[in-house]
Amino acid sequence: MISRRNLIKSLGVSAFTLPALTSLAHPSKEMGELDPADPDFWKNVRDQFSLDRHTVFFNPGTVGVMPKVVVEKMTAHLNYTAAHPADWAYQDDNKEEFISGYNNLMSFRTKVASLINGTAAEIAMTDNVTNGMSYIANGLTLQPGDEILTTDQEHGGGQSSWKQKEKRYGAVFKTVAIGKPCTNSTEVYDKINQAITPRTKVLMLSHLISGSGAILPVKELCAQARQRGIFTVLDGAQTIGHIKVDVKDIDCDAYVGCFHKWIGAPPGTGFMYVKAEHLKTLWTSVSSYRWDDHTDEGFRFTQRGTGNFSVLKGLEAALDFHFELGPDRVYERIKFLGKRLRDGLKTLPKVKSFSPAEESMCAGITVYNIEGWTGADLQKKYWAEARMRPRSQGNEFGVRHCTHIFNSEEEIDKAIMLVKAWTK
Ligand SMILES: Cc1ncc(COP(=O)(O)O)c(C=O)c1O
């Protein structure tokens, strides 16, 4: 049996330690004193990524960037398992880290629990948001005519398992138009609240809409739904590592998220949180030995057949990186850069924003277009002239521009200058 400490030792990987990074920037400063605009500190953070210096990445909303330490930990583990498969004694799946999919992954679930203020028992590890949402939709029993209420701006990975519920079981999939841009959180709340009927059984919402960057008033909506006995599930594909998520404060029944966008973990890493009272009655969609063993509900869903432990080693490093950096500091920096971009674009008359005008509804995602342009036009132009990579949102909605801790103020200002020049 190999303990985690021995394994790490045998891999010869040094951990990323933020105190070292901090003292590089400011030998005299404590972590808490750093501000979101501190250039030395954020330059040091950027140096933790092996990002090509000749290109600028603005699309972690699709797939994020792994810090160097994540790649190191993952590849070291991969090499280890390739060289030493015989070390695996098959004695204790929960301790021997060779494959995932049979183990309870408690250390991971505990880290995720502390990130979102849940408990490890209520968390299952998944591969992505689509899996998690499908586990929830397929695990609940709905009757014909039961309504699933959501917005008109959901991602296919969040809404499709509910649409299938409609086609297969006669449930009703109902969407509310919330506007793009949506005006303010009160209006969004009212629109969704007014669409609730006595038949509504599930309220499924993106916590943060991927196509506009709008943070929805989920806490208020979940409170309203709870009073009416409606099951609430939030799609957190765009929130984890981007904005603060506190499932106890929101008081939703379920929350699904991934780590391969804003946390910088390897692709294929996610989780599902379901309140204990609901988790115990949820059916598993992917079933193995534990499918009906209720001694550890999170394990029942985490056990889903052979998976790649090296990827989880990368996830572990990404979570540690995030915690060492300080989640609040990360959220602040992301928002600071996003706001800088929005403020700059606001001064340009031919630019139309599809992100909310209410700044409290925004963080690191900004969606905008130039009058008469398509998203593809803008995406191409950014690449041709500046090797910058935001992502097209189609003909009408221009591009989605995600700002993250590896971006700099100079990159944001350059993007604004380019748009200014194109709109002259
Ligand atoms: C809001 C939202 N939901 C779901 C998904 C799908 O996520 P995953 O690929 O992790 O299943 C995405 C991906 O971009 C998304 O933005």
Side-chain angles (χ1 to χ4, degrees):
M1 188 174 67
I2 294 186
S3 71
R4 193 169 152 261
R5 185 184 292 166
N6 283 343
L7 180 62
I8 289 171
K9 211 169 140 199
S10 73
L11 298 175
V13 178
S14 63
F16 163 81
T17 48
L18 203 74
L21 190 132
T22 314
S23 60
L24 264 178
H26 285 288
S28 60
K29 275 194 182 180
E30 289 299 314
M31 287 287 288
E33 295 173 43
L34 292 165
D35 75 63
D38 188 313
D40 294 341
F41 179 80
W42 292 107
K43 189 187 166 304
N44 273 324
V45 169
R46 190 199 162 96
D47 288 344
Q48 306 305 314
F49 295 83
S50 47
L51 278 164
D52 173 20
R53 300 293 147 143
H54 303 104
T55 58
V56 181
F57 188 65
F58 285 129
N59 192 22
T62 301
V63 177
V65 182
M66 293 178 277
K68 288 176 197 166
V69 66
V70 171
V71 179
E72 280 167 22
K73 290 272 171 86
M74 187 168 54
T75 51
H77 185 267
L78 204 55
N79 283 324
Y80 175 77
T81 54
H84 301 285
D87 288 4
W88 187 11
Y90 305 93
Q91 283 169 345
D92 187 348
D93 269 347
N94 292 324
K95 298 215 175 90
E96 294 173 305
E97 300 177 330
F98 282 83
I99 56 166
S100 67
Y102 288 92
N103 354 21
N104 64 22
L105 300 184
M106 196 45 95
S107 67
F108 293 86
R109 290 162 56 204
T110 304
K111 279 188 186 182
V112 176
S114 79
L115 183 67
I116 64 164
N117 194 24
T119 64
E122 297 166 307
I123 284 162
M125 300 307 290
T126 67
D127 296 333
N128 51 47
V129 168
T130 309
N131 280 181
M133 193 62 94
S134 300
Y135 293 163
I136 290 167
N138 296 324
L140 288 175
T141 305
L142 292 185
Q143 304 302 327
D146 285 351
E147 289 175 4
I148 301 133
L149 182 64
T150 188
T151 77
D152 61 338
Q153 292 172 33
E154 299 302 321
H155 189 279
Q159 69 177 5
S160 301
S161 49
W162 300 105
K163 283 185 162 177
Q164 195 194 63
K165 216 79 179 149
E166 178 174 60
K167 190 158 184 184
R168 192 169 175 195
Y169 298 110
V172 179
F173 181 81
K174 215 169 119 180
T175 59
V176 188
I178 57 167
K180 189 164 164 177
C182 46
T183 323
N184 58 56
S185 45
T186 310
E187 194 177 299
V188 172
Y189 172 86
D190 288 343
K191 282 178 174 168
I192 296 174
N193 188 29
Q194 280 156 18
I196 295 177
T197 75
R199 305 230 53 170
T200 310
K201 291 288 179 288
V202 176
L203 179 64
M204 186 282 281
L205 300 170
S206 279
H207 187 176
L208 195 161
I209 300 276
S210 60
S212 72
I215 302 166
L216 301 192
V218 289
K219 181 174 172 177
E220 294 76 10
L221 285 162
C222 286
Q224 187 53 239
R226 197 166 48 256
Q227 279 177 27
R228 304 203 210 176
I230 297 165
F231 183 88
T232 50
V233 51
L234 302 179
D235 175 341
Q238 296 294 345
T239 58
I240 302 299
H242 177 182
I243 61 168
K244 188 179 170 75
V245 175
D246 182 331
V247 291
K248 289 283 178 282
D249 180 55
I250 297 171
D251 209 2
C252 51
D253 292 315
Y255 199 102
V256 291
C258 61
F259 305 105
H260 42 232
K261 294 183 189 291
W262 294 85
I263 286 269
T269 47
F271 76 93
M272 134 184 145
Y273 157 87
V274 183
K275 263 188 189 165
E277 68 204 81
H278 297 296
L279 194 54
K280 64 182 181 215
T281 56
L282 201 69
W283 291 94
T284 52
S285 304
V286 176
S287 304
S288 187
Y289 297 105
R290 308 278 311 192
W291 76 274
D292 204 20
D293 182 338
H294 295 266
T295 49
D296 178 352
E297 298 291 357
F299 189 8
R300 206 157 59 84
F301 288 85
T302 297
Q303 190 183 70
R304 55 197 198 287
T306 302
N308 188 333
F309 213 104
S310 304
V311 165
L312 289 181
K313 280 290 168 196
L315 169 61
E316 187 174 53
L319 287 169
D320 290 347
F321 183 87
H322 183 70
F323 285 127
E324 284 180 42
L325 206 43
D328 288 341
R329 177 168 298 112
V330 170
Y331 309 145
E332 247 185 87
R333 172 68 175 176
I334 289 172
K335 165 104 187 179
F336 168 79
L337 293 176
K339 184 171 182 310
R340 188 178 183 101
L341 176 64
R342 285 185 291 280
D343 286 349
L345 293 173
K346 261 184 218 155
T347 63
L348 308 176
K350 288 184 195 154
V351 172
K352 175 154 174 53
S353 171
F354 297 100
S355 293
E358 189 178 290
E359 190 53 34
S360 65
M361 290 183 83
C362 300
I365 292 183
T366 310
V367 177
Y368 60 95
N369 203 357
I370 296 177
E371 263 171 40
W373 289 46
T374 67
D377 292 339
L378 252 176
Q379 182 177 309
K380 269 192 220 146
K381 199 85 167 150
Y382 263 123
W383 187 249
E385 289 196 17
R387 288 287 180 268
M388 287 186 167
R389 186 60 84 196
R391 179 177 159 179
S392 167
Q393 297 295 289
N395 290 346
E396 187 182 350
F397 299 119
V399 286
R400 180 180 68 186
H401 212 122
C402 303
T403 52
H404 211 320
I405 53 172
F406 44 76
N407 294 124
S408 63
E409 281 123 293
E410 291 72 34
E411 290 171 352
I412 306 295
D413 295 347
K414 183 163 179 191
I416 297 165
M417 289 311 293
L418 285 167
V419 177
K420 189 173 181 184
W422 297 332
T423 52
K424 270 217 171 109

